Short mmCIF file of all heavy atoms in Angstrom, two decimals:
data_model
loop_
_atom_site.label_atom_id
_atom_site.label_comp_id
_atom_site.label_asym_id
_atom_site.label_seq_id
_atom_site.Cartn_x
_atom_site.Cartn_y
_atom_site.Cartn_z
N PHE P 889 11.63 17.38 -10.17
CA PHE P 889 11.16 16.47 -11.22
C PHE P 889 9.64 16.51 -11.34
O PHE P 889 9.09 16.67 -12.44
CB PHE P 889 11.63 15.05 -10.91
CG PHE P 889 10.71 13.97 -11.43
CD1 PHE P 889 10.59 13.73 -12.79
CD2 PHE P 889 9.95 13.20 -10.55
CE1 PHE P 889 9.73 12.75 -13.27
CE2 PHE P 889 9.10 12.22 -11.02
CZ PHE P 889 8.98 12.00 -12.38
N TYR P 890 8.93 16.37 -10.22
CA TYR P 890 7.48 16.38 -10.28
C TYR P 890 6.96 17.73 -10.78
O TYR P 890 6.00 17.79 -11.57
CB TYR P 890 6.88 16.06 -8.91
CG TYR P 890 6.83 14.58 -8.61
CD1 TYR P 890 7.61 14.03 -7.60
CD2 TYR P 890 5.99 13.73 -9.33
CE1 TYR P 890 7.57 12.67 -7.31
CE2 TYR P 890 5.94 12.37 -9.05
CZ TYR P 890 6.73 11.84 -8.05
OH TYR P 890 6.69 10.50 -7.78
N ARG P 891 7.59 18.81 -10.34
CA ARG P 891 7.16 20.13 -10.80
C ARG P 891 7.31 20.25 -12.32
O ARG P 891 6.41 20.76 -13.01
CB ARG P 891 7.95 21.21 -10.08
CG ARG P 891 7.40 22.61 -10.31
CD ARG P 891 7.80 23.58 -9.22
NE ARG P 891 9.24 23.84 -9.21
CZ ARG P 891 10.05 23.55 -8.21
NH1 ARG P 891 9.57 22.95 -7.12
NH2 ARG P 891 11.33 23.84 -8.28
N LYS P 892 8.43 19.80 -12.84
CA LYS P 892 8.66 19.86 -14.28
C LYS P 892 7.70 18.95 -15.04
O LYS P 892 7.13 19.33 -16.08
CB LYS P 892 10.11 19.46 -14.60
CG LYS P 892 11.16 20.51 -14.25
CD LYS P 892 12.55 20.01 -14.59
CE LYS P 892 13.58 21.12 -14.45
NZ LYS P 892 13.41 22.18 -15.47
N MET P 893 7.53 17.73 -14.55
CA MET P 893 6.67 16.79 -15.27
C MET P 893 5.23 17.26 -15.29
O MET P 893 4.54 17.18 -16.33
CB MET P 893 6.77 15.40 -14.63
CG MET P 893 5.97 14.34 -15.37
SD MET P 893 6.22 12.66 -14.75
CE MET P 893 5.44 12.78 -13.14
N PHE P 894 4.74 17.79 -14.16
CA PHE P 894 3.35 18.23 -14.12
C PHE P 894 3.14 19.50 -14.94
O PHE P 894 2.04 19.72 -15.46
CB PHE P 894 2.91 18.45 -12.68
CG PHE P 894 2.81 17.18 -11.87
CD1 PHE P 894 3.00 17.20 -10.49
CD2 PHE P 894 2.52 15.97 -12.48
CE1 PHE P 894 2.90 16.02 -9.75
CE2 PHE P 894 2.43 14.79 -11.75
CZ PHE P 894 2.63 14.82 -10.38
N ALA P 895 4.18 20.32 -15.06
CA ALA P 895 4.06 21.50 -15.91
C ALA P 895 3.91 21.09 -17.37
O ALA P 895 3.14 21.69 -18.13
CB ALA P 895 5.27 22.41 -15.73
N ALA P 896 4.66 20.03 -17.76
CA ALA P 896 4.59 19.55 -19.14
C ALA P 896 3.39 18.65 -19.39
O ALA P 896 2.85 18.60 -20.50
CB ALA P 896 5.88 18.81 -19.49
N HIS P 897 2.96 17.95 -18.35
CA HIS P 897 1.84 17.00 -18.48
C HIS P 897 0.87 17.20 -17.32
O HIS P 897 0.79 16.36 -16.41
CB HIS P 897 2.37 15.56 -18.48
CG HIS P 897 3.25 15.23 -19.64
ND1 HIS P 897 2.76 14.84 -20.87
CD2 HIS P 897 4.61 15.26 -19.75
CE1 HIS P 897 3.78 14.62 -21.68
NE2 HIS P 897 4.90 14.88 -21.03
N PRO P 898 0.10 18.28 -17.32
CA PRO P 898 -0.82 18.55 -16.20
C PRO P 898 -1.85 17.45 -16.02
O PRO P 898 -2.38 17.27 -14.91
CB PRO P 898 -1.46 19.88 -16.57
CG PRO P 898 -1.24 20.04 -18.05
CD PRO P 898 0.05 19.35 -18.34
N GLU P 899 -2.12 16.70 -17.08
CA GLU P 899 -3.12 15.63 -16.96
C GLU P 899 -2.65 14.52 -16.01
O GLU P 899 -3.48 13.82 -15.42
CB GLU P 899 -3.43 15.04 -18.34
CG GLU P 899 -2.36 14.14 -18.95
CD GLU P 899 -1.19 14.90 -19.58
OE1 GLU P 899 -1.19 16.15 -19.52
OE2 GLU P 899 -0.30 14.23 -20.14
N LEU P 900 -1.33 14.37 -15.85
CA LEU P 900 -0.83 13.35 -14.94
C LEU P 900 -1.14 13.70 -13.49
O LEU P 900 -1.53 12.84 -12.70
CB LEU P 900 0.68 13.15 -15.14
CG LEU P 900 1.11 12.58 -16.49
CD1 LEU P 900 2.63 12.48 -16.54
CD2 LEU P 900 0.46 11.23 -16.76
N GLU P 901 -0.96 14.96 -13.13
CA GLU P 901 -1.29 15.38 -11.77
C GLU P 901 -2.80 15.36 -11.54
O GLU P 901 -3.26 14.96 -10.47
CB GLU P 901 -0.75 16.77 -11.50
CG GLU P 901 -1.00 17.24 -10.07
CD GLU P 901 -0.40 18.60 -9.77
OE1 GLU P 901 -0.18 19.38 -10.73
OE2 GLU P 901 -0.16 18.89 -8.60
N ARG P 902 -3.55 15.73 -12.56
CA ARG P 902 -5.00 15.82 -12.42
C ARG P 902 -5.66 14.44 -12.37
O ARG P 902 -6.59 14.21 -11.59
CB ARG P 902 -5.57 16.61 -13.61
CG ARG P 902 -7.07 16.86 -13.54
CD ARG P 902 -7.56 17.56 -14.80
NE ARG P 902 -7.44 16.69 -15.97
CZ ARG P 902 -6.72 16.98 -17.06
NH1 ARG P 902 -6.03 18.11 -17.12
NH2 ARG P 902 -6.67 16.13 -18.07
N ASP P 903 -5.16 13.51 -13.22
CA ASP P 903 -5.91 12.27 -13.45
C ASP P 903 -5.21 10.99 -13.01
O ASP P 903 -5.82 9.92 -13.06
CB ASP P 903 -6.23 12.14 -14.94
CG ASP P 903 -7.11 13.27 -15.45
OD1 ASP P 903 -7.82 13.86 -14.63
OD2 ASP P 903 -7.07 13.54 -16.67
N LEU P 904 -3.94 11.06 -12.58
CA LEU P 904 -3.22 9.84 -12.26
C LEU P 904 -2.59 9.86 -10.87
O LEU P 904 -2.80 8.95 -10.07
CB LEU P 904 -2.13 9.57 -13.31
CG LEU P 904 -1.30 8.30 -13.11
CD1 LEU P 904 -2.18 7.05 -13.19
CD2 LEU P 904 -0.18 8.22 -14.17
N PHE P 905 -1.84 10.91 -10.56
CA PHE P 905 -1.14 10.97 -9.28
C PHE P 905 -2.05 11.45 -8.16
O PHE P 905 -3.01 12.19 -8.39
CB PHE P 905 0.08 11.91 -9.39
CG PHE P 905 1.24 11.28 -10.11
CD1 PHE P 905 1.30 11.30 -11.50
CD2 PHE P 905 2.28 10.69 -9.42
CE1 PHE P 905 2.37 10.72 -12.18
CE2 PHE P 905 3.35 10.12 -10.08
CZ PHE P 905 3.39 10.13 -11.47
N ASN P 906 -1.72 11.03 -6.95
CA ASN P 906 -2.46 11.41 -5.75
C ASN P 906 -2.09 12.85 -5.38
O ASN P 906 -0.97 13.10 -4.93
CB ASN P 906 -2.11 10.44 -4.61
CG ASN P 906 -2.88 10.71 -3.34
OD1 ASN P 906 -3.09 11.85 -2.94
ND2 ASN P 906 -3.29 9.65 -2.67
N ARG P 907 -3.03 13.77 -5.54
CA ARG P 907 -2.72 15.18 -5.28
C ARG P 907 -2.43 15.44 -3.80
O ARG P 907 -1.62 16.31 -3.46
CB ARG P 907 -3.87 16.07 -5.76
CG ARG P 907 -4.12 15.99 -7.25
CD ARG P 907 -5.09 17.03 -7.74
NE ARG P 907 -6.43 16.90 -7.17
CZ ARG P 907 -7.49 17.58 -7.64
NH1 ARG P 907 -7.35 18.40 -8.68
NH2 ARG P 907 -8.68 17.42 -7.09
N GLY P 908 -3.09 14.69 -2.92
CA GLY P 908 -2.82 14.86 -1.49
C GLY P 908 -1.40 14.48 -1.12
O GLY P 908 -0.72 15.19 -0.38
N ASN P 909 -0.92 13.35 -1.67
CA ASN P 909 0.45 12.94 -1.40
C ASN P 909 1.45 13.93 -1.99
O ASN P 909 2.51 14.17 -1.42
CB ASN P 909 0.70 11.54 -1.97
CG ASN P 909 0.01 10.46 -1.17
OD1 ASN P 909 -0.33 10.66 -0.01
ND2 ASN P 909 -0.21 9.31 -1.78
N GLN P 910 1.11 14.49 -3.15
CA GLN P 910 2.00 15.49 -3.74
C GLN P 910 2.08 16.73 -2.85
O GLN P 910 3.16 17.28 -2.62
CB GLN P 910 1.49 15.89 -5.13
CG GLN P 910 1.67 14.82 -6.18
CD GLN P 910 3.13 14.53 -6.48
OE1 GLN P 910 3.94 15.44 -6.54
NE2 GLN P 910 3.45 13.27 -6.67
N GLN P 915 4.97 11.44 -1.79
CA GLN P 915 5.34 10.73 -3.01
C GLN P 915 6.77 11.07 -3.41
O GLN P 915 7.53 10.22 -3.87
CB GLN P 915 4.38 11.09 -4.14
CG GLN P 915 4.56 10.25 -5.38
CD GLN P 915 4.26 8.78 -5.12
OE1 GLN P 915 3.17 8.44 -4.69
NE2 GLN P 915 5.23 7.91 -5.37
N HIS P 949 1.92 0.17 -9.68
CA HIS P 949 1.82 0.63 -11.07
C HIS P 949 0.76 -0.15 -11.84
O HIS P 949 -0.02 0.43 -12.61
CB HIS P 949 3.18 0.48 -11.76
CG HIS P 949 4.16 1.54 -11.38
ND1 HIS P 949 5.43 1.62 -11.92
CD2 HIS P 949 4.07 2.59 -10.52
CE1 HIS P 949 6.06 2.65 -11.40
NE2 HIS P 949 5.26 3.25 -10.55
N LEU P 952 -2.66 0.94 -11.32
CA LEU P 952 -2.97 2.23 -11.94
C LEU P 952 -3.04 2.12 -13.47
O LEU P 952 -3.41 3.08 -14.14
CB LEU P 952 -1.91 3.27 -11.57
CG LEU P 952 -1.82 3.64 -10.10
CD1 LEU P 952 -0.58 4.49 -9.84
CD2 LEU P 952 -3.07 4.39 -9.64
N GLY P 953 -2.66 0.96 -14.00
CA GLY P 953 -2.65 0.80 -15.45
C GLY P 953 -1.47 1.48 -16.12
O GLY P 953 -1.57 1.92 -17.28
N ILE P 954 -0.32 1.56 -15.43
CA ILE P 954 0.86 2.20 -16.01
C ILE P 954 1.34 1.42 -17.23
O ILE P 954 1.36 0.19 -17.22
CB ILE P 954 1.98 2.30 -14.95
CG1 ILE P 954 1.54 3.20 -13.79
CG2 ILE P 954 3.28 2.79 -15.57
CD1 ILE P 954 1.27 4.63 -14.18
N GLU P 955 1.76 2.14 -18.26
CA GLU P 955 2.24 1.54 -19.49
C GLU P 955 3.70 1.91 -19.74
O GLU P 955 4.18 2.93 -19.23
CB GLU P 955 1.37 1.99 -20.66
CG GLU P 955 -0.10 1.60 -20.50
CD GLU P 955 -0.96 2.03 -21.67
OE1 GLU P 955 -0.39 2.37 -22.74
OE2 GLU P 955 -2.19 2.04 -21.52
N PRO P 956 4.44 1.11 -20.53
CA PRO P 956 5.87 1.35 -20.73
C PRO P 956 6.21 2.74 -21.23
O PRO P 956 7.23 3.32 -20.82
CB PRO P 956 6.25 0.29 -21.76
CG PRO P 956 5.30 -0.84 -21.51
CD PRO P 956 4.00 -0.17 -21.14
N ALA P 957 5.38 3.34 -22.08
CA ALA P 957 5.70 4.65 -22.65
C ALA P 957 5.80 5.72 -21.57
O ALA P 957 6.51 6.73 -21.76
CB ALA P 957 4.64 5.04 -23.68
N GLN P 958 5.15 5.53 -20.46
CA GLN P 958 5.20 6.55 -19.40
C GLN P 958 6.55 6.62 -18.71
O GLN P 958 6.89 7.63 -18.11
CB GLN P 958 4.07 6.28 -18.39
CG GLN P 958 2.69 6.54 -19.00
CD GLN P 958 1.55 6.05 -18.15
OE1 GLN P 958 1.51 4.88 -17.77
NE2 GLN P 958 0.60 6.92 -17.84
N TYR P 959 7.35 5.56 -18.82
CA TYR P 959 8.69 5.60 -18.24
C TYR P 959 9.59 6.58 -18.99
O TYR P 959 10.51 7.16 -18.41
CB TYR P 959 9.31 4.21 -18.23
CG TYR P 959 8.77 3.34 -17.11
CD1 TYR P 959 7.68 2.50 -17.33
CD2 TYR P 959 9.34 3.37 -15.84
CE1 TYR P 959 7.18 1.71 -16.30
CE2 TYR P 959 8.84 2.59 -14.82
CZ TYR P 959 7.76 1.76 -15.06
OH TYR P 959 7.26 0.98 -14.03
N ALA P 960 9.33 6.76 -20.29
CA ALA P 960 10.12 7.73 -21.05
C ALA P 960 9.81 9.15 -20.60
O ALA P 960 10.70 10.01 -20.56
CB ALA P 960 9.84 7.57 -22.55
N ILE P 961 8.55 9.42 -20.27
CA ILE P 961 8.18 10.75 -19.76
C ILE P 961 8.90 11.02 -18.45
O ILE P 961 9.47 12.10 -18.23
CB ILE P 961 6.65 10.84 -19.57
CG1 ILE P 961 5.94 10.70 -20.92
CG2 ILE P 961 6.26 12.14 -18.88
CD1 ILE P 961 4.42 10.61 -20.80
N VAL P 962 8.89 10.04 -17.56
CA VAL P 962 9.59 10.20 -16.28
C VAL P 962 11.07 10.44 -16.52
O VAL P 962 11.68 11.33 -15.90
CB VAL P 962 9.37 8.95 -15.40
CG1 VAL P 962 10.29 8.98 -14.17
CG2 VAL P 962 7.92 8.84 -14.97
N HIS P 963 11.67 9.69 -17.41
CA HIS P 963 13.10 9.83 -17.70
C HIS P 963 13.44 11.24 -18.14
O HIS P 963 14.40 11.87 -17.64
CB HIS P 963 13.51 8.82 -18.78
CG HIS P 963 14.94 8.94 -19.21
ND1 HIS P 963 15.33 9.73 -20.27
CD2 HIS P 963 16.06 8.38 -18.71
CE1 HIS P 963 16.64 9.64 -20.42
NE2 HIS P 963 17.12 8.83 -19.48
N THR P 964 12.66 11.78 -19.04
CA THR P 964 12.93 13.13 -19.57
C THR P 964 12.99 14.16 -18.46
O THR P 964 13.95 14.95 -18.36
CB THR P 964 11.85 13.53 -20.58
OG1 THR P 964 11.92 12.65 -21.71
CG2 THR P 964 12.03 14.97 -21.05
N HIS P 965 12.02 14.17 -17.60
CA HIS P 965 11.92 15.22 -16.59
C HIS P 965 12.79 14.93 -15.37
O HIS P 965 13.26 15.86 -14.70
CB HIS P 965 10.46 15.44 -16.23
CG HIS P 965 9.63 15.85 -17.40
ND1 HIS P 965 9.74 17.10 -17.97
CD2 HIS P 965 8.73 15.16 -18.16
CE1 HIS P 965 8.93 17.18 -19.00
NE2 HIS P 965 8.30 16.02 -19.14
N LEU P 966 13.02 13.66 -15.07
CA LEU P 966 13.91 13.32 -13.96
C LEU P 966 15.33 13.76 -14.28
O LEU P 966 16.02 14.36 -13.43
CB LEU P 966 13.86 11.82 -13.68
CG LEU P 966 14.75 11.32 -12.54
CD1 LEU P 966 14.39 12.00 -11.22
CD2 LEU P 966 14.66 9.80 -12.41
N TYR P 990 18.76 4.25 -14.20
CA TYR P 990 17.33 4.49 -14.39
C TYR P 990 16.72 3.42 -15.29
O TYR P 990 15.67 2.84 -14.95
CB TYR P 990 17.07 5.87 -15.00
CG TYR P 990 15.61 6.06 -15.33
CD1 TYR P 990 14.70 6.41 -14.33
CD2 TYR P 990 15.12 5.81 -16.61
CE1 TYR P 990 13.34 6.51 -14.61
CE2 TYR P 990 13.76 5.92 -16.89
CZ TYR P 990 12.88 6.28 -15.89
OH TYR P 990 11.54 6.36 -16.17
N VAL P 1057 -12.41 8.16 -9.23
CA VAL P 1057 -13.62 8.98 -9.19
C VAL P 1057 -13.35 10.33 -9.84
O VAL P 1057 -12.23 10.86 -9.78
CB VAL P 1057 -14.13 9.19 -7.75
CG1 VAL P 1057 -14.44 7.86 -7.09
CG2 VAL P 1057 -13.12 9.97 -6.92
N GLY P 1062 -13.30 18.35 -11.97
CA GLY P 1062 -13.00 17.69 -13.23
C GLY P 1062 -11.85 16.71 -13.17
O GLY P 1062 -11.62 15.96 -14.13
N ALA P 1063 -11.10 16.69 -12.08
CA ALA P 1063 -9.98 15.77 -11.95
C ALA P 1063 -10.49 14.35 -11.71
O ALA P 1063 -11.51 14.15 -11.05
CB ALA P 1063 -9.07 16.20 -10.81
N ARG P 1064 -9.75 13.37 -12.23
CA ARG P 1064 -9.99 11.97 -11.88
C ARG P 1064 -8.90 11.56 -10.90
O ARG P 1064 -7.73 11.44 -11.27
CB ARG P 1064 -9.94 11.06 -13.10
CG ARG P 1064 -10.28 9.61 -12.73
CD ARG P 1064 -9.92 8.61 -13.80
NE ARG P 1064 -8.48 8.38 -13.90
CZ ARG P 1064 -7.94 7.33 -14.52
NH1 ARG P 1064 -8.72 6.43 -15.10
NH2 ARG P 1064 -6.62 7.20 -14.60
N GLN P 1065 -9.28 11.34 -9.67
CA GLN P 1065 -8.32 10.91 -8.67
C GLN P 1065 -8.50 9.43 -8.36
O GLN P 1065 -9.63 8.92 -8.37
CB GLN P 1065 -8.47 11.74 -7.40
CG GLN P 1065 -7.88 13.15 -7.54
CD GLN P 1065 -6.35 13.13 -7.54
OE1 GLN P 1065 -5.71 12.95 -6.52
NE2 GLN P 1065 -5.77 13.30 -8.72
N ILE P 1066 -7.38 8.76 -8.11
CA ILE P 1066 -7.35 7.31 -7.92
C ILE P 1066 -6.79 6.99 -6.54
O ILE P 1066 -5.80 7.57 -6.12
CB ILE P 1066 -6.48 6.64 -9.00
CG1 ILE P 1066 -6.97 7.00 -10.41
CG2 ILE P 1066 -6.45 5.13 -8.81
CD1 ILE P 1066 -6.01 6.57 -11.50
N ARG P 1067 -7.43 6.04 -5.86
CA ARG P 1067 -6.91 5.55 -4.59
C ARG P 1067 -7.03 4.03 -4.55
O ARG P 1067 -7.92 3.45 -5.17
CB ARG P 1067 -7.67 6.14 -3.39
CG ARG P 1067 -7.64 7.64 -3.30
CD ARG P 1067 -6.27 8.21 -2.98
NE ARG P 1067 -6.35 9.66 -2.81
CZ ARG P 1067 -6.22 10.55 -3.80
NH1 ARG P 1067 -5.99 10.13 -5.05
NH2 ARG P 1067 -6.30 11.84 -3.55
N GLU P 1101 -9.53 13.46 -0.56
CA GLU P 1101 -10.48 13.82 -1.62
C GLU P 1101 -11.37 12.65 -2.00
O GLU P 1101 -12.60 12.79 -2.12
CB GLU P 1101 -9.70 14.29 -2.86
CG GLU P 1101 -9.01 15.62 -2.72
CD GLU P 1101 -8.44 16.09 -4.04
OE1 GLU P 1101 -7.45 15.50 -4.50
OE2 GLU P 1101 -9.00 17.05 -4.62
#
Side-chain angles (χ1 to χ4, degrees):
F889 151 69
Y890 278 113
R891 190 158 67 242
K892 286 179 171 292
M893 184 173 68
F894 291 152
H897 296 276
E899 74 281 2
L900 294 179
E901 183 177 23
R902 184 184 67 239
D903 298 336
L904 181 62
F905 283 83
N906 183 320
R907 298 190 297 192
N909 288 339
Q910 289 294 321
Q915 189 63 58
H949 283 182
L952 296 170
I954 296 298
E955 300 181 15
Q958 291 169 306
Y959 282 93
I961 296 173
V962 170
H963 177 268
T964 295
H965 300 289
L966 180 59
Y990 174 81
V1057 300
R1064 183 195 73 163
Q1065 285 287 285
I1066 303 170
R1067 301 292 184 271
E1101 290 188 289

